[in-house]
């Protein structure tokens, strides 16, 4: 649909105004004479505005529209123009107040001009109404135009208008009727449509083609506003297609399309029209030259395009209709002359129709080939639509599109941004395991040279494609590094943790990677994501770097001091962001166990203990404590990170695999050290680390430090030993959600801590066996809920062979970890616990069916139960 | 809002080269990704249409051409000043081409004929600018010479290309 006509018209004219403004110097001399005289008269009139009202009655008529325009165009500044407009508005207002019927239309016309320039003109709304009610055609015409431009749907004036329009729809002059139809079809509210639908329907059956075509479009508007009125127009559609007039045909097809799109019943009903539509189309192609409808040698391309669009809707997933139109589509596709835009417009629609309906395979190949030909066309517009439609078909006809790959890749080099963007999207859609190396080379080249607006999208496209189809780890790392060096500042935040994870997991590539990254660091420290990854790796694998063990490449010779120099350089560089500095400091700290220059590192760390940056200071102070009080634990804490299990980077579809039952999220801490930031927990932490005796670092699951972190805290506390995260980490998750997430899952995690507060519930209580659920969300993935079941036994005999099973609906995924025991002790003397992890990507309420089997007093017992819908509060997380 | 859209659109469209394609993907300002700006450039004028996916992109290009040719016929060698000084007439012509955001008529002769009949009706009533008898003498001073048709103002006359280069 076109933007509502008045706005579209507006826009054009505004552009006229602007462009004339640009060349006003050219025009002014020609108009000089006129302008002078206008300004003189204007001044005369100026004075007159201050005359008392009694005078004004004898006052000259308001200036004409043309003079107003001319005057306004003499304005040299915005302020001058505004002043003129204000004066004129005042005059118009007073004229309106005096109920001056003679000049009302002129005044409204002027108001419309001001409205076009962007000045408020809504005080003229009621005057438009008065004009519409007038007997004169001139008045009605400008009145309706004003109504379309100045009124919007909310106006109360609408109610008043309904009656006027109703009268005019039954007027004896077709043009008055036409005006009323046009206005109704443009701005009619749903109440208006309800009231006037009957009149529209009557006009739809008239034999007057001027009114009939307008009534058809008006009917479309009515249906859009009040869909239940659709039925009403059904009888009138019967004869629409037998009409000879192309305007009526065109608008009828629009009406039919609208009805088909809105209701499946109508769609089925109108399928019987396919042969008739095919005949009309055939006549258009075969008719030869008709001066009436010819556009560059083709007979009414607009109608052809419309019919092809309707056929597309009718033939979609319907074998019979598709069959009926196969022939004509083939005819259009082969017979249309394509040297001009019009021909291509028709061909383009034909291709789209062929791809959408159930067409023969030969026809589909023909269609794709036409698009291929379009790609080679000199006209950019044609190339653009070809790329757009190939993008639509790439999912269904992947191989056919694949054949045009090289042409598509060439379009990446086009100068036009619209084409480039389409080509980029299409190129990513075409990447697969076979062509990844070649395609990626092109895309990386594109990334290098493209405008900044493309870089972010292109970079994430490359990451995704590389992850999906990377032929080797080394290639994958190289590719990501290439992206970081060329478009580092445009990549999304999550790419840093992703890359770090990738590197950690490719054990055999460590030496190579760290060497490459170190070199990149020497070249350029302005690309923050690259610098962050590089510092992390240097910290982690600094020993490999210095020992020069690289097999893939010529090893470089660096000393420990050089490496430290570089990292210290990052700490002081102006280019570094606070986050980067955090990475650098942590890297230096890690090197204290990998290098011999411990004293130097101690010094650096202590310097930053008084850093102005709270975050850096906190880190430095904590690291300092590690050197002193907890020096015995330092080597263990700073040990190399374990290999991380793969977490999904494409959303929460995969459940996170864990290393063991008691440590459900061993993967978390890897991002913690570098990113801690000033947080309100800092004080707690410092207390913990500093004076008091609580050995936080050694906390294991059962002991909870008394700080805000709750479960998360002890979880991390537990982890810090095994995965050598640095001690400050534990409290950070509260303040720093994104980094807990392993990169890709999203920030909402932050709120999920609320989930820890979900009250526990009793899921089952029967025959002395009681099962309680407790909930927590100690996991990086917000969609995963961890439920711990506690089974207790109040009877005097113990329950043996206890097995708890659970089933959930298909939208969930369930993981049952092994239970603490299979014996539930008697008399509540202990509980059996078991952890269930539920992945709930759609965040629905969870219904769980549980099955219990155990042996009680020698006899086997089996029972089924269903839990109530469980919902986690806070952040709409439900389990 | 309206002015902002116009400004932004003008800014976007006017900085585009002549040899790039005539489509611009919709931003949030014009209603999202389903909408496109489709424009044609005539000398110093841009004709911009904003359409959703229910219209054929290439078809709209032809429609703009039809509209401009119609303007040319109605104004006899249309120039920018015609459009500025007769914005009401431009609206009337557009109303015969597009109605309620949908294409109404593409037959140029038909459009011109209908517009002319209506203009004649208006004229027979005295027209918008007809001064009634009681208009006072002061108006006479302002009875400026009509703007000559086809004012010669350098090259800003819109040269409406014939359809052949299409």
């Amino acid at each position: 649909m076109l933007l509502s006509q008045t706005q579209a018209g507006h826009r054009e004219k505004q552009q006229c105004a602007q462009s004339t403004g640009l060349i006003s110097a050219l025009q002014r001399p020609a108009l000089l004479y006129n302008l002078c005289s206008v300004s003189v008269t204007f001044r005369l009139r100026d004075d007159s505005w201050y005359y008392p009202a009694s005078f004004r009655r004898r006052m000259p008529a308001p200036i004409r529209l043309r003079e107003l325009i001319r005057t306004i165009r003499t304005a040299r500044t915005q302020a001058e123009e505004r002043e003129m407009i204000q004066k004129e508005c005042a005059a118009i207002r007073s004229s309106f107040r005096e109920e001056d019927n003679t000049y009302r239309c002129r005044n409204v016309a002027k108001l419309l001009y001001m409205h076009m320039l962007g000045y408020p003109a809504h005080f003229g709304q009621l005057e438009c109404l008065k004009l519409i009610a007038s007997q004169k055609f001139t008045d009605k015409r400008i009145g309706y135009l004003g109504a379309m431009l100045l009124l919007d749907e909310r106006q109360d004036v609408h109610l008043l208008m309904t009656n006027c329009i109703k009268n005019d729809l039954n007027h004896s002059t077709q043009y008055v009727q036409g005006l009323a139809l046009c206005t109704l079809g443009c701005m009619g509210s749903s109440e208006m449509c309800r009231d006037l639908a009957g009149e529209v329907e009557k006009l739809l059956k008239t034999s007057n083609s001027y009114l009939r075509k307008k009534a058809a479009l008006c009917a479309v508007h009515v249906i859009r506003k009040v869909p239940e009125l659709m039925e009403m127009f059904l009888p009138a559609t019967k004869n629409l297609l037998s009409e000879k007039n192309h305007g009526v045909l065109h608008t009828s097809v629009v009406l039919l399309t609208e009805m088909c799109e809105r209701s499946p019943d109508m769609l089925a009903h109108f399928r019987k029209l396919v042969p008739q539509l095919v005949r009309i189309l055939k006549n258009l192609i075969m008719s030869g030259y008709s001066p009436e409808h010819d556009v560059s040698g083709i007979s009414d391309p607009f109608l052809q395009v419309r019919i092809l669009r309707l056929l597309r809707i009718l033939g979609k997933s319907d074998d019979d209709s598709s069959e009926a139109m196969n022939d004509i589509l083939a005819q259009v596709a082969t017979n249309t002359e394509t040297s001009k835009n019009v021909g291509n417009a028709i061909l383009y629609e034909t291709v789209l129709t062929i791809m959408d309906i159930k067409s023969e395979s030969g026809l589909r190949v023909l269609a794709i080939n036409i698009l291929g030909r379009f790609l080679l066309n000199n006209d950019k517009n044609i190339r653009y639509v070809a790329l757009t439609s190939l993008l639509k078909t790439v999912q269904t006809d992947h191989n056919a599109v694949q054949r045009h790959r090289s042409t598509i890749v060439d379009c990446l080099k086009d100068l036009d941004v619209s084409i480039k963007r389409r080509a980029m999207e299409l190129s990513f859609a075409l990447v697969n395991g076979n062509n990844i190396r070649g395609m990626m080379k092109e895309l990386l080249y594109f990334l290098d040279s493209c405008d900044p607006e493309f870089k972010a999208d292109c970079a994430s496209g490359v990451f995704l494609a590389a992850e999906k189809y990377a032929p080797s780890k080394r290639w994958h790392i190289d590719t990501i590094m290439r992206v970081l060096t060329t478009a580092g500042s445009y990549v999304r935040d999550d790419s840093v943790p992703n890359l770090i994870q990738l590197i950690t997991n490719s054990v055999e590539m460590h030496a190579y990677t760290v060497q490459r990254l170190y070199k990149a660091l020497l070249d350029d420290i302005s690309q923050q994501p690259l610098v962050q990854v590089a510092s992390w790796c240097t910290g982690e694998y600094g020993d490999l770097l210095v020992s020069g063990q690289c097999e893939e490449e010529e090893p470089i010779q660096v000393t420990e001091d050089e490496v430290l120099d570089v990292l210290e350089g990052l700490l002081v560089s102006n280019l570094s962001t606070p986050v980067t500095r955090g990475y650098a400091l942590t890297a230096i700290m890690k090197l204290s166990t990998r290098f011999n220059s411990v004293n130097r590192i101690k010094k650096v760390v202590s310097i930053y203990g008084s850093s102005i940056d709270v975050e850096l200071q906190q880190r430095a102070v904590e690291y300092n404590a590690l050197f002193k009080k907890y020096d015995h634990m330092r080597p263990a804490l700073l040990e190399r990170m374990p290999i991380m299990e793969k977490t999904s980077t494409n959303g929460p579809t995969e459940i996170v695999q864990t290393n063991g039952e008691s440590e459900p999220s061993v993967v978390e801490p890897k991002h913690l050290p570098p990113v801690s930031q000033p947080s309100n927990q800092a004080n707690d932490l410092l207390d913990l680390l500093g004076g008091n005796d609580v050995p936080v670092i050694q906390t294991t699951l059962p002991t909870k430090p008394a700080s805000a972190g709750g479960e998360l805290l002890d979880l991390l506390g537990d982890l810090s030993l095994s995965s050598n995260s640095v001690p400050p980490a534990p409290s950070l998750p509260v303040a720093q959600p994104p980094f807990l997430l392993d990169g890709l899952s999203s920030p909402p995690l932050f709120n999920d801590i609320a989930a820890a507060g979900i009250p526990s519930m009793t899921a089952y209580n029967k025959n002395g066996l009681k099962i309680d659920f407790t909930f927590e969300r100690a996991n990086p993935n917000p969609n995963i809920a961890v439920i711990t079941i506690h089974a207790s036994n109040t009877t005097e005999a113990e329950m043996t062979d206890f097995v708890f099973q659970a089933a959930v609906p298909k939208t969930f995924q369930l993981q049952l970890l092994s239970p603490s025991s299979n014996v539930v002790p008697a008399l509540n003397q202990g509980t059996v616990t078991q952890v269930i992890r539920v992945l709930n990507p759609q965040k629905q309420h969870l219904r769980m069916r549980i099955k219990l089997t155990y042996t009680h007093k020698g006899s086997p017992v089996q029972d089924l139960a269903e839990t109530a819908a469980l919902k986690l509060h806070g952040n709409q997380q439900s389990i | 809002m309206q002015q902002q859209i116009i400004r932004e659109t003008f800014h976007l469209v006017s900085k585009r080269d002549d040899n790039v394609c005539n489509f611009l993907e919709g931003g949030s300002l014009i209603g999202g990704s389903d909408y496109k700006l489709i424009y044609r450039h005539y000398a110093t004028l841009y004709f911009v249409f904003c359409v959703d996916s229910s219209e054929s992109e290439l078809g709209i290009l032809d429609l703009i051409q039809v509209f401009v040719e119609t303007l040319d016929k109605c104004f006899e060698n249309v120039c920018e000043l015609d459009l500025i000084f007769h914005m009401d007439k431009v609206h009337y012509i557009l109303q015969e081409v597009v109605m309620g955001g949908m294409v109404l008529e593409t037959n140029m002769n038909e459009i011109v004929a209908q517009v002319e009949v209506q203009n004649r009706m208006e004229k027979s009533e005295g027209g918008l600018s007809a001064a009634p008898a009681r208009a006072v003498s002061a108006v006479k001073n302002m009875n400026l010479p009509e703007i000559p048709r086809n004012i010669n103002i350098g090259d800003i006359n819109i040269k409406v290309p014939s359809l052949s280069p299409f």
Side-chain angles (χ1 to χ4, degrees):
Chain A
M1 162 176 90
L2 294 165
L3 188 79
S4 90
Q5 102 192 55
T6 48
Q7 279 176 348
H10 241 84
R11 192 168 286 168
E12 279 132 33
K13 266 165 282 115
Q14 179 64 18
Q15 255 111 48
C16 316
Q18 285 183 355
S19 35
T20 36
L22 296 174
I23 47 144
S24 51
L26 266 177
Q27 300 158 29
R28 291 225 161 103
L31 289 173
L32 205 55
Y33 168 68
N34 294 354
L35 297 180
C36 292
S37 37
V38 169
S39 52
V40 170
T41 33
F42 195 74
R43 214 163 294 134
L44 275 175
R45 315 182 63 66
D46 259 10
D47 303 333
S48 67
W49 289 338
Y50 303 106
Y51 289 179
S54 56
F55 265 104
R56 221 179 287 152
R57 212 157 296 274
R58 291 187 285 109
M59 276 308 305
I63 57 167
R64 297 177 183 196
L65 172 62
R66 183 184 302 155
E67 284 143 17
L68 172 73
I69 297 173
R70 234 177 261 162
T71 316
I72 289 174
R73 283 163 58 81
T74 59
R76 271 161 229 288
T77 61
Q78 195 87 47
E80 210 178 319
E81 181 184 295
R82 210 174 303 134
E83 201 185 336
M84 287 173 181
I85 300 257
Q86 265 163 11
K87 276 185 184 159
E88 185 58 33
C89 276
I92 292 176
R93 272 176 207 268
S94 65
S95 171
F96 283 164
R97 263 198 303 278
E98 285 166 21
E99 294 292 328
D100 175 4
N101 288 328
T102 326
Y103 293 111
R104 186 177 286 128
C105 64
R106 182 184 293 183
N107 282 329
V108 170
K110 284 191 280 192
L111 219 46
L112 293 183
Y113 181 76
M114 295 178 203
H115 174 71
M116 185 180 83
L117 296 181
Y119 294 93
H122 290 83
F123 61 88
Q125 286 175 344
L126 265 178
E127 302 302 314
C128 293
L129 221 64
K130 290 179 191 158
L131 284 175
I132 293 172
S134 152
Q135 287 308 310
K136 285 169 71 182
F137 180 68
T138 318
D139 285 353
K140 277 191 191 299
R141 209 178 183 193
I142 200 88
Y144 275 121
L145 179 59
M148 279 186 270
L149 292 178
L150 299 182
L151 268 58
D152 47 56
E153 294 202 354
R154 291 174 297 268
Q155 302 300 334
D156 309 333
V157 197
H158 272 219
L159 283 175
L160 301 169
M161 258 187 88
T162 310
N163 213 22
C164 292
I165 294 188
K166 188 167 193 153
N167 287 337
D168 284 347
L169 285 176
N170 296 315
H171 202 272
S172 55
T173 320
Q174 61 163 345
Y175 296 108
V176 175
Q177 291 174 292
L179 281 177
L181 277 175
C182 188
T183 311
L184 179 61
C186 180
M187 44 75 79
S189 60
S190 42
E191 290 80 29
M192 259 174 151
C193 290
R194 256 181 239 279
D195 291 345
L196 299 172
E199 265 77 16
V200 176
E201 199 261 351
K202 227 184 296 165
L203 288 175
L204 193 55
K205 289 188 210 150
T206 161
S207 58
N208 179 338
S209 57
Y210 180 75
L211 289 178
R212 209 170 176 196
K213 66 185 180 193
K214 292 200 170 187
L217 288 189
C218 209
V220 175
H221 182 83
V222 171
I223 292 173
R224 279 188 188 159
K225 286 282 164 195
V226 195
E228 62 264 29
L229 289 178
M230 184 156 37
E231 299 276 319
M232 181 177 178
F233 294 102
L234 193 57
T237 56
K238 216 179 272 171
N239 298 318
L240 281 177
L241 289 185
S242 45
E243 172 73 39
K244 288 278 173 296
N245 181 292
H246 282 213
V248 178
L249 269 181
H250 188 115
T251 51
S252 308
V253 174
V254 174
L255 176 60
L256 295 180
T257 312
E258 182 71 23
M259 291 167 98
C260 288
E261 273 175 345
R262 288 202 171 255
S263 136
D265 291 345
M266 292 287 171
L267 183 62
H269 175 79
F270 287 127
R271 283 223 165 95
K272 66 173 196 277
L273 292 180
V274 170
Q276 210 176 344
L277 288 165
V278 167
R279 206 158 18 190
I280 298 175
L281 197 53
K282 197 168 206 157
N283 283 338
L284 282 174
I285 311 173
M286 300 303 171
S287 65
Y289 180 76
S290 84
E292 280 272 286
H293 307 108
D294 182 81
V295 179
S296 3
I298 287 174
S299 186
D300 207 338
F302 300 100
L303 184 55
Q304 291 197 35
V305 164
R306 272 286 151 215
I307 294 179
L308 284 165
R309 289 208 156 214
L310 180 55
L311 287 179
R312 183 184 320 162
I313 296 167
L314 293 174
K316 195 162 197 172
S317 50
D318 184 80
D319 290 319
D320 293 341
S321 321
S322 300
E323 176 66 34
M325 54 187 91
N326 263 333
D327 279 354
I328 187 75
L329 290 176
Q331 258 174 6
V332 179
T334 44
N335 288 354
T336 305
E337 197 239 340
T338 58
S339 57
K340 310 248 170 62
N341 182 61
V342 269
N344 286 322
I346 294 173
L347 216 48
Y348 170 54
E349 287 305 321
T350 314
V351 167
L352 292 183
T353 304
I354 291 173
M355 306 311 285
D356 260 22
I357 65 166
K358 295 192 154 186
S359 45
E360 291 161 356
S361 62
L363 211 51
R364 295 179 90 82
V365 173
L366 177 68
I368 299 255
N369 286 343
I370 291 176
L371 291 180
R373 232 166 45 226
F374 276 4
L375 281 180
L376 300 170
N377 200 301
N378 279 331
D379 189 332
K380 305 252 174 184
N381 296 326
I382 313 259
R383 289 222 293 275
Y384 171 84
V385 295
L387 287 170
T388 314
S389 31
L390 283 173
L391 197 59
K392 276 185 213 150
T393 51
V394 71
Q395 301 308 333
T396 46
D397 295 75
H398 190 87
N399 290 331
V401 182
Q402 204 60 263
R403 257 182 278 141
H404 301 284
R405 199 175 64 228
S406 61
T407 332
I408 293 164
V409 169
D410 279 344
C411 289
L412 284 175
K413 298 178 188 118
D414 206 289
L415 290 172
D416 188 335
V417 284
S418 301
I419 291 186
K420 250 194 248 188
R421 180 166 288 280
R422 284 276 165 266
M424 181 180 89
E425 287 165 9
L426 194 51
S427 300
F428 279 120
L430 286 178
V431 172
N432 61 25
N434 299 326
N435 59 23
I436 176 109
R437 283 173 192 269
M439 286 297 280
M440 221 35 114
K441 208 189 257 168
E442 295 286 349
L443 285 164
L444 285 173
Y445 179 74
F446 173 72
L447 180 66
D448 239 355
S449 56
C450 68
D451 302 333
E453 53 175 307
F454 289 113
K455 296 215 178 193
D457 286 342
C458 188
S460 43
V462 170
F463 285 151
L464 278 181
E467 190 184 315
K468 233 169 161 179
Y469 302 111
S472 72
K473 282 223 162 126
R474 162 149 184 200
W475 182 91
H476 193 173
I477 289 174
D478 280 351
T479 306
I480 294 188
M481 247 154 46
R482 174 88 185 275
V483 174
L484 286 180
T485 46
T486 51
S489 19
Y490 298 97
V491 299
R492 290 206 315 248
D493 291 342
D494 55 26
S495 48
V496 172
N498 279 342
L499 179 56
I500 289 178
Q501 187 188 346
L502 175 72
I503 293 170
T504 326
N505 291 352
S506 336
V507 181
E508 65 286 358
M509 304 292 296
H510 285 169
Y512 165 74
T513 315
V514 70
Q515 182 168 322
R516 282 281 312 261
L517 282 168
Y518 182 73
K519 277 198 217 156
L521 213 49
L522 292 178
D523 284 346
D524 181 13
I525 57 165
S526 61
Q527 311 256 30
Q528 295 304 306
L530 177 71
V531 174
Q532 288 165 11
V533 177
S535 2
W536 191 90
C537 289
T538 316
E540 196 70 17
Y541 313 117
D543 43 343
L544 302 176
L545 180 64
V546 175
S547 62
Q549 294 170 340
C550 185
E551 286 165 11
E552 279 87 354
E553 252 186 4
E554 179 85 355
I556 49 168
Q557 296 299 322
V558 279
T559 64
E560 294 182 358
D561 276 341
E562 280 168 3
V563 176
L564 288 172
D565 282 345
V566 170
L567 289 174
E568 278 181 49
L570 293 179
L571 279 173
V572 296
S573 165
N574 286 332
L575 296 168
S576 303
T577 61
V579 176
T580 310
R581 293 204 178 113
Y583 271 92
L585 188 66
T586 308
I588 291 178
M589 183 63 193
K590 282 189 195 162
L591 289 178
S592 71
T593 58
R594 296 160 175 63
F595 284 1
N596 298 322
S597 0
V598 179
N599 282 332
R600 180 175 172 180
I601 291 173
K602 259 187 198 166
K603 218 159 78 193
V604 175
V605 170
S606 67
I607 288 172
Y608 282 88
S610 55
S611 167
I612 199 167
D613 180 344
V614 187
E615 156 65 19
L616 217 51
Q617 184 190 42
Q618 184 193 343
R619 246 170 231 252
V621 168
E622 287 156 2
Y623 293 160
N624 227 350
L626 265 190
F627 274 122
K628 292 178 182 143
K629 201 164 181 179
Y630 300 100
D631 206 30
H632 59 286
M633 287 162 47
R634 189 164 53 87
L637 280 171
L638 299 178
E639 227 172 49
R640 188 162 294 169
M641 296 285 281
I643 291 181
M644 298 170 224
E645 295 288 344
K646 178 76 183 140
T647 53
S648 158
T649 52
N650 290 333
T653 44
E654 290 170 36
I655 200 156
V656 181
Q657 296 299 312
T658 58
N659 291 350
E661 292 155 30
S662 56
E663 294 176 6
S665 41
V666 107
V667 285
E668 287 179 4
K670 65 166 176 158
H671 304 303
L672 289 177
V675 292
S676 42
Q677 273 193 356
S679 69
N680 42 9
Q681 271 76 37
N683 289 338
D684 292 352
L685 232 200
L686 288 177
D687 288 348
L688 291 171
L689 277 173
N692 67 38
D693 299 323
V694 186
V696 197
I697 304 160
Q698 290 167 328
T699 321
T700 49
L701 265 174
T703 46
K704 293 194 179 183
S707 77
E711 276 83 348
L712 276 172
L713 229 177
D714 61 31
L715 186 128
L716 285 163
D718 171 55
L719 288 169
S720 48
L721 278 179
S722 61
S723 59
N724 75 14
S725 130
V726 229
S731 76
L732 291 170
V734 181
Q736 271 291 305
F739 295 94
L740 255 188
L741 294 182
D742 242 345
L744 258 177
S745 352
S746 46
L749 173 76
F750 192 20
N751 299 333
D752 294 344
I753 287 158
I758 293 161
S760 56
M761 60 168 283
T762 304
Y764 180 88
N765 194 353
K766 224 168 159 185
N767 304 331
L769 177 64
K770 184 174 172 218
I771 295 185
D772 289 324
F773 282 5
T774 56
F775 306 94
E776 57 187 310
R777 192 181 297 280
N779 199 290
N781 188 330
N783 295 323
I784 294 180
V786 178
I787 307 173
T788 314
I789 67 160
H790 306 268
S792 58
N793 175 4
T794 52
T795 62
E796 64 279 6
E798 58 176 29
M799 297 169 174
T800 52
D801 302 327
F802 174 77
V803 177
F804 171 92
Q805 288 170 301
V808 288
K810 281 204 178 98
T811 48
F812 298 87
Q813 284 178 35
L814 185 82
Q815 191 182 17
L816 266 177
L817 306 180
S818 50
S820 59
S821 152
N822 64 352
V823 178
V824 191
L827 298 169
N828 274 337
Q829 282 165 347
T831 57
V832 170
T833 59
Q834 186 168 6
V835 175
I836 316 172
R837 293 152 51 77
V838 179
L839 175 70
N840 180 7
Q842 296 166 19
K843 303 201 195 310
Q844 291 168 329
H845 294 203
L846 171 65
R847 302 188 72 82
M848 190 187 282
R849 208 169 264 170
I850 56 181
K851 183 182 178 187
L852 299 158
T853 50
Y854 55 92
T855 312
H856 192 220
K857 295 177 182 163
S859 57
V861 182
Q862 182 172 339
D863 199 9
L864 288 170
E866 190 165 331
T867 65
L870 304 172
K871 180 176 184 300
L872 293 193
H873 65 71
N875 198 27
Q876 299 90 47
Q877 301 288 328
S878 37
I879 58 163
Chain B
M1 180 66 183
Q2 172 200 340
Q3 292 297 311
Q4 194 194 349
I5 293 175
I6 293 170
R7 255 198 313 277
E8 194 113 321
T9 307
F10 178 71
H11 181 72
L12 278 175
V13 167
S14 61
K15 72 175 184 200
R16 282 173 70 83
D17 227 28
D18 261 353
N19 58 1
V20 302
C21 76
N22 297 352
F23 310 119
L24 270 169
E25 312 268 312
S28 54
L29 201 57
I30 58 162
S33 58
D34 193 38
Y35 290 86
K36 284 195 181 101
L37 293 180
I38 299 179
Y39 69 95
R40 289 193 84 128
H41 185 186
Y42 297 93
T44 52
L45 282 184
Y46 288 93
F47 288 80
V48 186
F49 278 45
C50 174
V51 302
D52 67 9
S53 56
S54 72
E55 302 287 337
S56 154
E57 292 95 333
L58 296 176
I60 292 297
L61 284 177
D62 289 323
L63 185 72
I64 298 178
Q65 177 74 17
V66 166
F67 178 52
V68 174
E69 281 189 50
T70 312
L71 287 176
D72 193 49
K73 282 192 178 168
C74 290
F75 286 106
E76 300 164 24
N77 277 332
V78 68
C79 76
E80 289 164 345
L81 290 178
D82 288 326
L83 304 187
I84 295 168
F85 281 91
H86 301 284
M87 55 89 91
D88 49 338
K89 295 219 171 62
V90 177
H91 270 296
Y92 298 145
I93 296 167
L94 190 60
Q95 276 174 15
E96 295 295 327
V97 182
V98 177
M99 179 184 137
M102 289 161 287
V103 181
L104 177 68
E105 178 63 69
T106 53
N107 179 350
M108 231 176 296
N109 301 331
E110 169 79 9
I111 300 166
V112 175
Q114 301 292 4
V115 170
E116 268 170 8
V117 174
Q118 295 183 59
N119 288 345
R120 271 204 297 281
M121 282 174 67
E122 213 171 66
K123 217 171 240 169
S124 68
E125 288 177 350
L128 188 60
S129 54
R134 68 184 170 98
V136 204
S137 57
V139 185
K140 280 182 187 160
N141 299 338
M142 307 166 32
N143 225 346
L144 303 164
E146 289 282 302
I147 311 176
R149 277 266 158 246
N150 305 323
I151 312 164
N152 186 6
I153 34 174
D155 56 359
I156 66 155
N157 262 327
I158 307 173
K159 304 227 171 24
V160 180
S162 65
L163 277 170
S164 49
F166 226 164

